[in-house]
Amino acid sequence: LKEKKDAKVTVRLAATNYAVTVTIEDNGQGMPEENVQKMHQRRYFTEGKENGHGIGLRQVWDMLQENRGRLAVQST
């Protein structure tokens, strides 16, 4: 998104008595299906990053597991 002039990230939060859903959507170019599968399989990847490893997927996975959560990733 950093080179896209009309870059947009939307974050939505929905809550009920039983669940919280956080949806993050952007208008970027998408990511390869291989990376989506790696995320679903709890595998690590760094693509084109000089520093760091993205959003901290290890922390996301751990938090979701501790709270009976799940991660769903879609990319087009």
Side-chain angles (χ1 to χ4, degrees):
L1 286 174
K2 62 183 164 185
E3 294 181 23
K4 190 173 176 113
K5 293 183 183 204
D6 63 341
K8 182 178 178 181
V9 176
T10 303
V11 179
R12 289 188 296 277
L13 176 66
T16 68
N17 288 338
Y18 305 101
V20 174
T21 302
V22 179
T23 304
I24 304 168
E25 182 177 3
D26 67 55
N27 65 343
Q29 67 183 9
M31 63 180 140
E33 180 61 25
E34 176 183 328
N35 288 357
V36 173
Q37 292 304 315
K38 285 180 180 180
M39 291 177 79
H40 285 149
Q41 297 166 2
R42 291 185 64 138
R43 292 173 47 208
Y44 300 102
F45 64 92
T46 302
E47 182 178 55
K49 292 196 176 247
E50 293 179 12
N51 298 308
H53 299 283
I55 60 172
L57 285 173
R58 163 67 100 163
Q59 290 82 1
V60 171
W61 290 324
D62 290 347
M63 185 271 310
L64 289 170
Q65 185 174 13
E66 290 174 17
N67 292 284
R68 295 181 291 158
R70 61 189 171 99
L71 174 69
V73 178
Q74 296 176 327
S75 182
T76 55

Coordinates of all heavy atoms in Angstrom, one line a residue:
L1 N 0.8 -1.2 0.0 CA 0.0 0.0 0.0 C 0.8 1.3 0.0 O 0.3 2.3 -0.4 CB -0.9 0.0 1.2 CG -2.1 -0.9 1.3 CD1 -2.8 -0.8 2.6 CD2 -3.1 -0.6 0.2
K2 N 2.1 1.2 0.4 CA 2.9 2.4 0.6 C 3.1 3.2 -0.7 O 3.3 4.4 -0.6 CB 4.2 2.2 1.3 CG 5.1 1.3 0.6 CD 6.3 1.0 1.4 CE 7.1 -0.2 0.9 NZ 8.2 -0.5 1.7
E3 N 3.0 2.6 -1.8 CA 3.2 3.4 -3.1 C 1.9 3.6 -3.8 O 1.8 4.2 -4.8 CB 4.2 2.6 -4.0 CG 5.6 2.6 -3.4 CD 6.5 1.9 -4.3 OE1 6.3 1.8 -5.5 OE2 7.6 1.4 -3.8
K4 N 0.8 3.2 -3.2 CA -0.6 3.4 -3.8 C -1.1 4.7 -3.3 O -1.3 5.0 -2.1 CB -1.4 2.2 -3.3 CG -2.7 2.1 -4.1 CD -3.5 0.8 -3.7 CE -4.8 0.8 -4.3 NZ -4.9 -0.2 -5.3
K5 N -1.5 5.6 -4.3 CA -2.0 6.9 -3.9 C -3.4 6.9 -3.3 O -3.7 7.7 -2.5 CB -2.1 7.8 -5.2 CG -0.7 8.1 -5.7 CD -0.7 9.0 -6.9 CE 0.7 9.2 -7.4 NZ 0.9 10.4 -8.1
D6 N -4.2 5.9 -3.6 CA -5.5 5.8 -3.0 C -5.6 4.7 -2.0 O -6.6 4.0 -1.8 CB -6.6 5.6 -4.1 CG -6.4 4.3 -4.8 OD1 -5.3 3.7 -4.8 OD2 -7.4 3.8 -5.5
A7 N -4.5 4.4 -1.3 CA -4.4 3.4 -0.3 C -5.5 3.5 0.8 O -5.8 4.7 1.3 CB -3.0 3.3 0.4
K8 N -6.1 2.4 1.2 CA -7.2 2.5 2.2 C -7.1 1.2 3.0 O -7.1 0.1 2.5 CB -8.5 2.6 1.4 CG -9.7 2.7 2.4 CD -11.0 2.8 1.5 CE -12.2 2.9 2.4 NZ -13.4 3.0 1.7
V9 N -7.2 1.3 4.3 CA -7.3 0.2 5.2 C -8.6 0.5 6.1 O -8.7 1.6 6.7 CB -6.1 0.1 6.2 CG1 -6.3 -1.0 7.2 CG2 -4.8 -0.1 5.3
T10 N -9.5 -0.5 6.1 CA -10.7 -0.4 6.9 C -10.7 -1.4 8.0 O -10.4 -2.6 7.7 CB -11.9 -0.6 6.0 OG1 -11.9 0.3 4.9 CG2 -13.2 -0.5 6.8
V11 N -11.0 -1.0 9.2 CA -11.0 -1.9 10.4 C -12.4 -1.9 10.9 O -13.0 -0.8 11.2 CB -10.0 -1.5 11.5 CG1 -10.1 -2.4 12.7 CG2 -8.6 -1.5 10.9
R12 N -13.1 -3.0 11.0 CA -14.4 -3.1 11.6 C -14.4 -4.0 12.8 O -13.8 -5.0 12.8 CB -15.4 -3.6 10.5 CG -15.7 -2.7 9.4 CD -16.8 -3.1 8.4 NE -16.5 -4.3 7.7 CZ -15.8 -4.4 6.6 NH1 -15.3 -3.3 6.1 NH2 -15.6 -5.5 6.0
L13 N -15.2 -3.6 13.8 CA -15.4 -4.4 15.0 C -16.8 -4.7 15.2 O -17.7 -3.8 15.1 CB -14.8 -3.6 16.2 CG -14.9 -4.2 17.6 CD1 -14.1 -5.5 17.7 CD2 -14.5 -3.2 18.6
A14 N -17.2 -6.0 15.5 CA -18.5 -6.3 15.8 C -18.5 -7.2 17.0 O -17.6 -8.1 17.2 CB -19.2 -7.1 14.6
A15 N -19.4 -7.0 17.9 CA -19.4 -7.8 19.2 C -20.8 -8.3 19.5 O -21.8 -7.5 19.3 CB -18.8 -7.0 20.3
T16 N -20.9 -9.4 20.1 CA -22.1 -10.0 20.7 C -21.8 -10.4 22.1 O -20.6 -10.2 22.6 CB -22.6 -11.2 19.9 OG1 -21.7 -12.3 20.0 CG2 -22.8 -10.9 18.4
N17 N -22.7 -11.0 22.8 CA -22.4 -11.6 24.1 C -21.5 -12.7 24.1 O -20.9 -13.1 25.1 CB -23.7 -12.0 24.8 CG -24.6 -10.9 25.2 OD1 -24.1 -9.7 25.4 ND2 -25.9 -11.1 25.3
Y18 N -21.3 -13.3 22.9 CA -20.5 -14.5 22.8 C -19.2 -14.4 21.9 O -18.4 -15.3 21.9 CB -21.4 -15.7 22.2 CG -22.6 -15.9 23.0 CD1 -23.8 -15.3 22.5 CD2 -22.6 -16.5 24.2 CE1 -25.0 -15.5 23.3 CE2 -23.7 -16.7 24.9 CZ -24.9 -16.2 24.5 OH -26.1 -16.3 25.2
A19 N -19.1 -13.4 21.1 CA -18.0 -13.3 20.2 C -17.6 -11.9 19.8 O -18.5 -11.0 19.9 CB -18.3 -14.1 18.9
V20 N -16.4 -11.7 19.5 CA -15.9 -10.4 18.9 C -15.3 -10.7 17.6 O -14.5 -11.7 17.4 CB -14.9 -9.8 19.8 CG1 -14.3 -8.5 19.2 CG2 -15.4 -9.4 21.2
T21 N -15.7 -10.0 16.6 CA -15.1 -10.2 15.2 C -14.4 -8.9 14.8 O -15.0 -7.8 14.9 CB -16.2 -10.5 14.2 OG1 -16.9 -11.7 14.6 CG2 -15.6 -10.7 12.8
V22 N -13.1 -9.0 14.4 CA -12.3 -7.9 13.9 C -12.1 -8.2 12.5 O -11.5 -9.3 12.1 CB -11.0 -7.7 14.7 CG1 -10.2 -6.6 14.1 CG2 -11.3 -7.6 16.2
T23 N -12.5 -7.3 11.6 CA -12.2 -7.4 10.2 C -11.3 -6.3 9.7 O -11.6 -5.1 10.0 CB -13.6 -7.4 9.4 OG1 -14.5 -8.4 9.9 CG2 -13.4 -7.6 7.9
I24 N -10.3 -6.7 9.0 CA -9.3 -5.7 8.5 C -9.3 -5.9 7.0 O -9.0 -7.0 6.5 CB -7.9 -5.9 9.1 CG1 -8.0 -5.8 10.6 CG2 -6.9 -4.9 8.5 CD1 -6.7 -6.2 11.3
E25 N -9.5 -4.9 6.3 CA -9.6 -5.0 4.8 C -8.8 -3.8 4.2 O -8.8 -2.7 4.7 CB -11.1 -4.8 4.4 CG -11.3 -5.0 2.9 CD -12.8 -4.9 2.6 OE1 -13.6 -4.7 3.5 OE2 -13.1 -5.1 1.4
D26 N -8.1 -4.1 3.1 CA -7.4 -3.1 2.4 C -7.6 -3.2 0.9 O -8.1 -4.2 0.4 CB -5.9 -3.0 2.8 CG -5.1 -4.3 2.3 OD1 -5.2 -4.6 1.1 OD2 -4.5 -4.9 3.1
N27 N -7.1 -2.2 0.2 CA -7.3 -2.2 -1.3 C -5.9 -2.4 -1.9 O -5.7 -1.9 -3.0 CB -8.0 -1.0 -1.8 CG -7.2 0.3 -1.6 OD1 -6.3 0.3 -0.8 ND2 -7.6 1.4 -2.3
G28 N -5.1 -3.2 -1.3 CA -3.7 -3.5 -1.8 C -3.8 -4.5 -3.0 O -4.9 -4.9 -3.4
Q29 N -2.7 -4.9 -3.4 CA -2.6 -5.8 -4.6 C -2.9 -7.3 -4.2 O -2.9 -8.1 -5.1 CB -1.2 -5.7 -5.2 CG -0.1 -6.2 -4.3 CD 1.3 -6.1 -4.9 OE1 1.4 -5.4 -6.0 NE2 2.3 -6.7 -4.3
G30 N -3.1 -7.6 -2.9 CA -3.3 -8.9 -2.5 C -2.0 -9.6 -2.3 O -0.9 -9.1 -2.5
M31 N -2.0 -10.9 -1.9 CA -0.8 -11.7 -1.6 C -1.0 -13.0 -2.3 O -2.1 -13.5 -2.5 CB -0.5 -11.8 -0.2 CG -1.5 -12.5 0.7 SD -1.0 -12.5 2.4 CE -2.5 -12.2 3.2
P32 N 0.2 -13.7 -2.6 CA 0.1 -15.0 -3.2 C -0.6 -16.0 -2.4 O -0.6 -15.9 -1.1 CB 1.6 -15.3 -3.4 CG 2.3 -14.1 -3.3 CD 1.5 -13.2 -2.4
E33 N -1.3 -16.9 -3.0 CA -2.1 -18.0 -2.3 C -1.1 -18.7 -1.4 O -1.5 -19.2 -0.3 CB -2.7 -18.9 -3.3 CG -3.5 -20.0 -2.7 CD -4.7 -19.6 -1.8 OE1 -5.2 -18.5 -2.0 OE2 -5.1 -20.4 -0.9
E34 N 0.1 -18.9 -1.8 CA 1.1 -19.6 -1.0 C 1.2 -18.9 0.4 O 1.3 -19.6 1.4 CB 2.5 -19.6 -1.7 CG 3.6 -20.2 -0.9 CD 4.9 -20.2 -1.6 OE1 4.9 -20.2 -2.9 OE2 5.9 -20.0 -0.9
N35 N 1.2 -17.6 0.5 CA 1.3 -16.9 1.7 C 0.1 -17.1 2.6 O 0.1 -17.2 3.8 CB 1.6 -15.4 1.5 CG 3.1 -15.2 1.0 OD1 3.9 -16.2 0.9 ND2 3.4 -14.0 0.7
V36 N -1.1 -17.1 1.9 CA -2.4 -17.3 2.6 C -2.3 -18.6 3.3 O -2.7 -18.8 4.5 CB -3.6 -17.1 1.7 CG1 -4.9 -17.5 2.4 CG2 -3.6 -15.7 1.1
Q37 N -1.9 -19.6 2.5 CA -1.8 -21.0 3.1 C -0.9 -21.1 4.3 O -1.1 -21.8 5.2 CB -1.4 -22.0 2.0 CG -2.5 -22.2 0.9 CD -3.8 -22.6 1.5 OE1 -3.9 -23.5 2.4 NE2 -4.9 -21.9 1.1
K38 N 0.3 -20.4 4.1 CA 1.2 -20.4 5.2 C 0.6 -19.8 6.5 O 0.8 -20.3 7.6 CB 2.5 -19.6 4.9 CG 3.4 -20.4 3.9 CD 4.6 -19.5 3.6 CE 5.5 -20.3 2.6 NZ 6.7 -19.5 2.3
M39 N -0.2 -18.8 6.3 CA -0.8 -18.2 7.5 C -1.8 -19.1 8.1 O -1.9 -19.3 9.4 CB -1.5 -16.9 7.1 CG -0.6 -15.8 6.7 SD -1.4 -14.3 6.2 CE -1.9 -13.6 7.7
H40 N -2.6 -19.8 7.3 CA -3.5 -20.8 7.8 C -2.9 -22.0 8.5 O -3.4 -22.6 9.4 CB -4.5 -21.3 6.7 CG -5.5 -20.3 6.3 ND1 -6.0 -20.2 5.0 CD2 -6.1 -19.3 7.0 CE1 -6.8 -19.2 5.0 NE2 -6.9 -18.7 6.1
Q41 N -1.6 -22.3 8.1 CA -0.9 -23.4 8.6 C 0.1 -23.0 9.8 O 0.9 -23.8 10.2 CB -0.1 -24.1 7.5 CG -1.0 -24.7 6.5 CD -0.2 -25.1 5.2 OE1 1.0 -24.9 5.1 NE2 -1.0 -25.6 4.2
R42 N 0.0 -21.8 10.2 CA 0.8 -21.2 11.2 C 2.3 -21.3 10.9 O 3.2 -21.6 11.7 CB 0.6 -21.9 12.6 CG -0.7 -21.6 13.2 CD -0.9 -22.2 14.5 NE 0.1 -21.6 15.4 CZ -0.2 -21.2 16.7 NH1 -1.3 -21.3 17.2 NH2 0.8 -20.7 17.4
R43 N 2.6 -21.1 9.6 CA 4.0 -21.1 9.2 C 4.4 -19.6 9.0 O 3.6 -18.8 8.7 CB 4.2 -21.8 7.9 CG 3.9 -23.3 8.0 CD 3.9 -24.1 6.8 NE 5.0 -23.8 5.9 CZ 4.9 -23.9 4.5 NH1 3.8 -24.3 4.0 NH2 6.0 -23.6 3.8
Y44 N 5.7 -19.4 9.2 CA 6.2 -18.0 9.2 C 6.7 -17.7 7.8 O 7.1 -18.5 7.0 CB 7.4 -17.9 10.1 CG 7.0 -18.1 11.6 CD1 7.3 -19.4 12.1 CD2 6.2 -17.2 12.3 CE1 6.9 -19.6 13.4 CE2 5.8 -17.5 13.5 CZ 6.1 -18.7 14.1 OH 5.7 -19.0 15.4
F45 N 6.6 -16.4 7.4 CA 7.2 -16.0 6.2 C 7.4 -14.5 6.3 O 6.8 -13.7 7.0 CB 6.2 -16.2 5.0 CG 4.9 -15.5 5.1 CD1 4.8 -14.2 4.5 CD2 3.8 -16.0 5.8 CE1 3.6 -13.6 4.6 CE2 2.6 -15.4 5.8 CZ 2.5 -14.1 5.2
T46 N 8.5 -14.1 5.6 CA 8.8 -12.6 5.5 C 9.0 -12.4 4.0 O 9.8 -13.1 3.4 CB 10.1 -12.3 6.3 OG1 9.9 -12.7 7.6 CG2 10.4 -10.8 6.2
E47 N 8.3 -11.5 3.4 CA 8.4 -11.3 2.0 C 8.7 -9.8 1.7 O 7.9 -8.9 2.0 CB 7.1 -11.6 1.3 CG 7.1 -11.4 -0.2 CD 5.8 -11.9 -0.9 OE1 4.8 -11.3 -0.5 OE2 5.9 -12.7 -1.7
G48 N 9.9 -9.6 1.3 CA 10.3 -8.2 0.9 C 10.5 -7.3 2.0 O 10.5 -6.1 1.8
K49 N 10.7 -7.8 3.3 CA 10.8 -6.9 4.4 C 12.3 -6.8 4.8 O 12.9 -7.8 5.0 CB 10.0 -7.4 5.6 CG 8.5 -7.3 5.3 CD 7.8 -7.4 6.6 CE 6.3 -7.2 6.3 NZ 5.8 -6.0 6.9
E50 N 12.8 -5.6 5.0 CA 14.1 -5.5 5.5 C 14.2 -5.6 7.0 O 15.2 -6.2 7.5 CB 14.6 -4.1 5.1 CG 14.8 -3.9 3.6 CD 15.3 -2.5 3.2 OE1 15.7 -1.8 4.1 OE2 15.2 -2.2 2.0
N51 N 13.2 -5.2 7.7 CA 13.2 -5.3 9.1 C 11.9 -5.9 9.6 O 10.8 -5.5 9.1 CB 13.3 -3.9 9.8 CG 14.6 -3.2 9.4 OD1 15.7 -3.8 9.6 ND2 14.6 -2.0 8.9
G52 N 11.9 -6.7 10.6 CA 10.7 -7.3 11.2 C 10.1 -8.4 10.4 O 10.6 -8.8 9.4
H53 N 9.0 -8.9 10.9 CA 8.3 -10.0 10.4 C 6.8 -9.8 10.2 O 6.0 -10.7 10.5 CB 8.6 -11.3 11.3 CG 10.0 -11.6 11.4 ND1 10.7 -12.3 10.4 CD2 10.9 -11.4 12.3 CE1 12.0 -12.4 10.7 NE2 12.1 -11.9 11.9
G54 N 6.4 -8.6 9.9 CA 5.0 -8.4 9.6 C 4.3 -8.0 10.9 O 4.8 -7.3 11.8
I55 N 3.1 -8.5 11.1 CA 2.2 -8.0 12.2 C 2.4 -8.8 13.4 O 1.6 -8.6 14.4 CB 0.7 -8.1 11.7 CG1 0.3 -9.5 11.4 CG2 0.4 -7.1 10.6 CD1 -1.1 -9.7 11.1
G56 N 3.3 -9.7 13.5 CA 3.5 -10.5 14.7 C 2.6 -11.7 14.7 O 1.8 -11.8 15.7
L57 N 2.6 -12.5 13.7 CA 1.6 -13.6 13.6 C 1.7 -14.5 14.7 O 0.7 -15.1 15.2 CB 1.8 -14.3 12.2 CG 1.3 -13.6 11.0 CD1 1.7 -14.3 9.8 CD2 -0.2 -13.4 11.1
R58 N 2.9 -14.7 15.3 CA 3.0 -15.6 16.5 C 2.1 -15.1 17.6 O 1.4 -15.9 18.2 CB 4.5 -15.7 16.9 CG 4.7 -16.2 18.3 CD 4.3 -17.7 18.4 NE 5.5 -18.5 18.3 CZ 5.5 -19.7 18.6 NH1 4.4 -20.3 19.1 NH2 6.6 -20.5 18.5
Q59 N 2.2 -13.8 17.9 CA 1.4 -13.2 18.9 C -0.1 -13.3 18.6 O -1.0 -13.6 19.5 CB 1.7 -11.8 19.2 CG 3.1 -11.6 19.8 CD 4.2 -11.7 18.8 OE1 4.0 -11.8 17.6 NE2 5.4 -11.6 19.3
V60 N -0.5 -13.1 17.3 CA -1.9 -13.3 16.9 C -2.4 -14.7 17.1 O -3.4 -14.9 17.7 CB -2.1 -12.8 15.4 CG1 -3.5 -13.2 15.0 CG2 -1.8 -11.4 15.3
W61 N -1.6 -15.7 16.6 CA -2.0 -17.1 16.8 C -2.1 -17.5 18.2 O -3.1 -18.1 18.6 CB -1.0 -18.0 16.1 CG -1.0 -17.9 14.6 CD1 -2.1 -17.8 13.8 CD2 0.2 -18.0 13.8 NE1 -1.7 -17.8 12.5 CE2 -0.3 -17.9 12.4 CE3 1.5 -18.2 14.0 CZ2 0.6 -18.0 11.3 CZ3 2.4 -18.2 12.9 CH2 1.9 -18.1 11.6
D62 N -1.1 -17.1 19.1 CA -1.2 -17.4 20.5 C -2.4 -16.8 21.2 O -3.1 -17.5 22.0 CB 0.1 -16.9 21.2 CG 1.3 -17.7 20.8 OD1 1.2 -18.8 20.2 OD2 2.4 -17.3 21.1
M63 N -2.7 -15.5 20.9 CA -3.9 -14.9 21.5 C -5.2 -15.6 21.1 O -6.1 -15.8 21.9 CB -3.9 -13.4 21.1 CG -5.0 -12.6 21.8 SD -6.6 -12.5 20.9 CE -6.1 -12.1 19.2
L64 N -5.2 -15.9 19.8 CA -6.4 -16.6 19.3 C -6.6 -17.9 20.0 O -7.7 -18.3 20.4 CB -6.4 -16.7 17.8 CG -6.6 -15.4 17.0 CD1 -6.3 -15.7 15.5 CD2 -8.0 -14.9 17.2
Q65 N -5.5 -18.7 20.1 CA -5.6 -20.0 20.7 C -6.0 -19.9 22.1 O -6.9 -20.7 22.6 CB -4.3 -20.7 20.6 CG -4.3 -22.1 21.1 CD -3.0 -22.9 20.9 OE1 -2.0 -22.3 20.5 NE2 -3.0 -24.1 21.0
E66 N -5.5 -19.0 22.9 CA -5.9 -18.8 24.3 C -7.3 -18.4 24.5 O -7.9 -18.6 25.5 CB -5.0 -17.7 24.9 CG -3.5 -18.2 25.1 CD -2.6 -17.0 25.6 OE1 -3.2 -16.0 26.1 OE2 -1.4 -17.2 25.4
N67 N -7.9 -17.8 23.5 CA -9.3 -17.3 23.6 C -10.3 -18.1 22.7 O -11.4 -17.5 22.4 CB -9.3 -15.8 23.3 CG -8.6 -15.0 24.3 OD1 -9.1 -14.8 25.4 ND2 -7.4 -14.6 24.0
R68 N -9.9 -19.2 22.2 CA -10.8 -20.1 21.4 C -11.2 -19.3 20.1 O -12.3 -19.4 19.6 CB -12.0 -20.5 22.1 CG -11.7 -21.5 23.3 CD -12.9 -22.0 24.0 NE -13.5 -20.9 24.7 CZ -14.7 -20.8 25.1 NH1 -15.5 -21.8 24.8 NH2 -15.2 -19.8 25.7
G69 N -10.2 -18.5 19.6 CA -10.5 -17.7 18.4 C -10.0 -18.4 17.1 O -9.4 -19.6 17.2
R70 N -10.2 -17.8 16.0 CA -9.7 -18.3 14.8 C -9.3 -17.2 13.8 O -9.7 -16.1 14.0 CB -10.7 -19.2 14.1 CG -12.0 -18.6 13.8 CD -13.0 -19.6 13.3 NE -14.3 -19.0 13.2 CZ -14.9 -18.6 12.1 NH1 -14.2 -18.7 10.9 NH2 -16.0 -18.0 12.0
L71 N -8.5 -17.5 12.9 CA -8.0 -16.6 11.9 C -8.4 -17.0 10.5 O -8.3 -18.2 10.1 CB -6.4 -16.5 11.9 CG -5.8 -15.7 10.9 CD1 -6.0 -14.2 11.1 CD2 -4.3 -15.9 10.9
A72 N -9.1 -16.1 9.8 CA -9.5 -16.4 8.4 C -8.8 -15.3 7.5 O -9.0 -14.1 7.8 CB -11.0 -16.4 8.3
V73 N -8.2 -15.8 6.5 CA -7.5 -14.8 5.6 C -8.0 -15.1 4.2 O -8.1 -16.2 3.7 CB -6.0 -15.0 5.6 CG1 -5.3 -14.1 4.7 CG2 -5.4 -14.9 7.0
Q74 N -8.4 -14.0 3.5 CA -8.8 -14.0 2.1 C -8.0 -13.0 1.4 O -7.7 -11.9 1.9 CB -10.3 -13.7 2.0 CG -11.2 -14.8 2.6 CD -12.6 -14.3 2.5 OE1 -12.9 -13.2 2.5 NE2 -13.5 -15.3 2.4
S75 N -7.6 -13.3 0.2 CA -6.8 -12.4 -0.6 C -7.2 -12.5 -2.1 O -7.3 -13.6 -2.6 CB -5.3 -12.6 -0.5 OG -4.6 -11.6 -1.2
T76 N -7.4 -11.4 -2.7 CA -7.7 -11.4 -4.2 C -6.8 -10.4 -4.9 O -6.3 -9.5 -4.2 CB -9.2 -11.0 -4.4 OG1 -9.5 -9.8 -3.8 CG2 -10.1 -12.1 -3.9

